[in-house]
Amino acid sequence: MELRQLIYFLEAAKYKNFTKASESLHISQPALSKMIKSLEEELGITLINRSNKTSEVTDGGLIVLEYAERILSLVEEMQTTLEDLTSLKRGSISIGIPPIIGSLYFPKVMAEFHKEYPNISINITEYGGAKVVKSVEKGEFEVGVAVLPVDEEVFHVYPIVEDEMKLLININHPLAKRDRIHLKELKNEEFIFYHEDFALHDIMWKKFIQEGFEPKILFKSSQWDLMSEMVGANLGITILPESICERVENKHVKIISLEPVTPWNLGVITKKDKYISYATKRFIEFFTD
């Protein structure tokens, strides 16, 4: 069965006259009659009783008429919905964001995006950076924000932030008078560290191993503000990205540069060879412009 058969049948039923219906459809009357006949043969039922003056829809034809109207209405609705999607009048985005950075960059961007595209819903899930990468790879999210580098054979990467790690230390700590500290000098310090599912955990852990020691972990947290407050209370030291350090307002905390410099770069990632919605594509463009 073809949609065109249903369209022709609806027109014939509307006019109850094959001549008028064929004129409306801009086809010949024999072509219309042939199309209706083929539909009747396919369904095994007479749809229209033909006479010289009028063409009346049969009982069976009325049932087909009802369904044909619903089918064509759904097709029209589908076309409208697709048009809305491509013109970004509707849609949804699923995104994974590490909580330690979500509050830094996203509120302003989200507000601006929502203002421009108010009917697109944004579903945000906060995961540690390492878990965000795995979730995008598995298809749980269309898009994620990750600490770079990631495997560019698996992901499309759109860089958004270039930063570096800094040391947060209590102002009464013996090292607080310094402006720059080497990682090796932190061997005997107690750290307020990140949970294992955070990309920062692996990045800094590997750095310490390269310097010949494992850090002594006193506490673990996923909240940068809590971590900095614990430093302010002289419970240990921590290492955070510079852009986060700029938000620390605790007067008991000093921020010190580290050697060697450890970059902290962020990017928006999507999985290669995976369909990305129109809304998500625009969000990536919006965020990386």
Side-chain angles (χ1 to χ4, degrees):
M1 185 184 301
E2 300 177 10
L3 287 177
R4 187 173 56 168
Q5 290 175 305
L6 298 179
I7 292 170
Y8 286 8
F9 170 62
L10 283 175
E11 206 69 7
K14 173 184 175 182
Y15 285 100
K16 296 183 179 181
N17 183 287
F18 275 58
T19 301
K20 292 180 179 179
S22 61
E23 290 173 354
S24 174
L25 292 166
H26 304 292
I27 61 173
S28 67
Q29 184 175 330
L32 175 59
S33 297
K34 183 178 180 180
M35 185 66 71
I36 300 298
K37 185 66 175 177
S38 67
L39 179 60
E40 289 176 326
E41 290 175 352
E42 185 173 343
L43 295 174
I45 189 172
T46 299
L47 300 176
I48 296 177
N49 282 324
R50 288 88 161 164
S51 69
N52 292 330
K53 295 183 179 180
T54 186
S55 301
E56 294 290 340
V57 179
T58 65
D59 290 345
L62 290 173
I63 293 174
V64 175
L65 181 64
E66 179 183 347
Y67 277 96
E69 288 173 341
R70 287 160 59 184
I71 290 169
L72 293 174
S73 176
L74 284 171
V75 170
E76 183 179 353
E77 182 181 326
M78 178 187 69
Q79 291 171 333
T80 301
T81 301
L82 289 173
E83 183 180 344
D84 286 348
L85 282 174
T86 54
S87 61
L88 300 179
K89 293 179 181 178
R90 68 169 71 190
S92 64
I93 301 169
S94 60
I95 181 169
I97 302 175
I100 204 165
I101 64 171
S103 62
L104 285 178
Y105 308 105
F106 278 80
K108 183 179 179 181
V109 173
M110 296 290 189
E112 292 174 353
F113 186 84
H114 178 68
K115 183 178 180 181
E116 189 165 340
Y117 304 104
N119 296 319
I120 294 178
S121 63
I122 303 177
N123 304 309
I124 301 172
T125 302
E126 289 187 307
Y127 281 159
K131 192 173 181 180
V132 167
V133 174
K134 291 178 182 177
S135 297
V136 172
E137 185 174 5
K138 291 179 180 178
E140 183 178 347
F141 307 128
E142 278 188 289
V143 62
V145 176
V147 179
L148 305 180
V150 297
D151 188 348
E152 295 195 27
E153 291 187 2
V154 178
F155 302 101
H156 291 293
V157 179
Y158 309 90
I160 55 174
V161 174
E162 291 186 0
D163 209 340
E164 66 179 74
M165 305 300 290
K166 298 285 186 177
L167 175 67
L168 283 75
I169 200 165
N170 189 277
I171 58 172
N172 295 317
H173 192 285
L175 295 174
K177 296 178 182 179
R178 304 267 298 278
D179 294 324
R180 186 172 294 275
I181 292 174
H182 198 285
L183 285 176
K184 287 181 178 179
E185 300 177 75
L186 305 177
K187 181 177 180 178
N188 297 317
E189 300 296 330
E190 293 182 322
F191 282 85
I192 302 157
F193 218 58
Y194 336 96
H195 288 296
E196 286 80 357
D197 60 347
F198 278 65
L200 280 175
H201 179 282
D202 290 348
I203 290 172
M204 292 313 304
W205 192 273
K206 289 175 183 177
K207 284 288 182 180
F208 291 128
I209 296 300
Q210 289 171 6
E211 298 301 332
F213 70 96
E214 292 187 4
K216 297 176 182 178
I217 309 300
L218 187 63
F219 298 107
K220 291 183 180 180
S221 176
S222 62
Q223 303 298 323
W224 65 265
D225 50 351
L226 175 59
M227 297 170 78
S228 63
E229 288 299 313
M230 293 175 82
V231 172
N234 207 14
L235 291 171
I237 66 173
T238 194
I239 296 174
L240 290 171
E242 184 175 15
S243 52
I244 291 179
C245 293
E246 291 172 353
R247 293 197 171 197
V248 175
E249 298 179 351
N250 192 311
K251 62 183 181 180
H252 298 290
V253 175
K254 183 176 180 181
I255 298 165
I256 301 175
S257 296
L258 285 169
E259 292 180 347
V261 172
T262 301
W264 187 73
N265 301 328
L266 301 179
V268 174
I269 63 170
T270 60
K271 187 180 180 183
K272 288 185 174 180
D273 302 323
K274 183 182 185 303
Y275 173 78
I276 302 299
S277 68
Y278 288 94
T280 298
K281 288 177 182 177
R282 182 62 190 112
F283 179 80
I284 293 171
E285 293 169 358
F286 194 93
F287 196 84
T288 57
D289 281 347

